[in-house]
């Protein structure tokens, strides 16, 4: 079996990450990989606190939220039961819905982005994704998807903020283009075409290892 990989999906809210993660998982499994899918914020105590803030059950300053994400990410990486490093060591290909690029983009809109990067330095030193997949969609489409079948939106889920976050993603990807392996795909297209493009890039990585 080919070497297992660590892949992070990125994008503004409503970009279709969950759908593409499921499709990529099936492609990996068809290729003989054991796959572990995960997400941020996690379902651990710090992650649950973040979700309470997002759902307006609790309040916190943007700097506090950024720091909570950094802490939750370290738990995500280092947890002894199902942390990213443990699952990779056990031979799983790990696919996460968001990783530190999300923090750089979302928190970088509200606080100095270099500070956010510094807060996540230990996470980046511990492990970097073999591939970051950014699904780029029009913010208007993302908001339309979010509003469909939902009664309320979370803290960052406004059209104005989504536009700023998308711009920040591109700023960050340019800033880190020599440090991170990033693939940008047009998420405004049919689901099947997006999945095909993602799998081609993944296959190229697998062929080289």
């Amino acid at each position: 079996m080919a070497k297992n990989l660590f892949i992070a999906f990125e994008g503004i809210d409503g970009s279709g990450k969950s759908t593409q993660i499921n499709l990529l998982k099936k492609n990996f499994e068809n290729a003989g990989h054991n796959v572990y899918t995960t997400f941020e914020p996690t379902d651990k105590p710090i992650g649950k606190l973040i979700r309470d803030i997002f759902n307006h059950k609790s309040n916190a300053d943007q700097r506090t939220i950024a720091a909570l994400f950094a802490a939750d990410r370290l738990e995500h990486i280092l947890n002894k039961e199902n942390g990213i490093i443990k699952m990779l060591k056990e031979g799983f290909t790990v696919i996460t819905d968001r990783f530190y690029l999300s923090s750089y983009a979302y928190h970088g809109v509200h606080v100095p982005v270099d500070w956010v990067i510094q807060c996540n330095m230990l996470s980046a030193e511990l492990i970097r994704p073999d591939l970051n997949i950014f699904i780029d969609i029009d913010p208007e489409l993302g908001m339309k998807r979010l509003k469909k079948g939902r009664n309320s939106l979370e803290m960052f889920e406004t059209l104005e903020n989504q536009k700023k976050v998308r711009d920040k993603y591109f700023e960050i990807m340019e800033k880190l283009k020599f440090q991170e392996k990033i693939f940008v795909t047009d998420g405004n297209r049919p689901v099947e075409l997006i999945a095909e493009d993602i799998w081609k890039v993944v296959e190229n990585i697998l062929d080289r290892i």
Side-chain angles (χ1 to χ4, degrees), residues 137-191:
I137 65 164
D138 293 330
E140 290 83 358
L141 175 58
M143 289 303 300
K144 183 178 179 180
R145 290 175 177 175
L146 289 176
K147 291 177 180 177
K148 189 176 181 180
R150 286 173 54 176
N151 296 322
S152 63
L153 296 174
E154 294 182 352
M155 175 187 291
F156 292 130
E157 295 175 343
T158 67
L159 179 58
E160 180 183 5
N161 192 66
Q162 293 299 300
K163 288 179 178 178
K164 291 178 180 178
V165 170
R166 179 179 180 272
D167 289 343
K168 188 63 69 172
Y169 259 119
F170 279 98
E171 176 187 320
I172 291 299
M173 290 189 290
E174 176 64 23
K175 184 182 182 77
L176 301 178
K177 63 183 178 182
F178 298 116
Q179 296 172 250
E180 302 288 343
K181 173 68 174 176
I182 303 171
F183 172 62
V184 180
T185 185
D186 181 358
N188 301 296
R189 300 174 300 151
V191 167

Side-chain angles (χ1 to χ4, degrees), residues 68-87:
L68 285 170
F69 263 95
D72 186 49
R73 184 162 295 118
L74 285 170
E75 178 65 15
H76 194 196
I77 294 168
L78 297 169
N79 186 275
K80 296 185 183 302
E81 293 181 6
N82 59 358
I84 291 169
I85 289 177
K86 182 177 188 295
M87 301 308 290

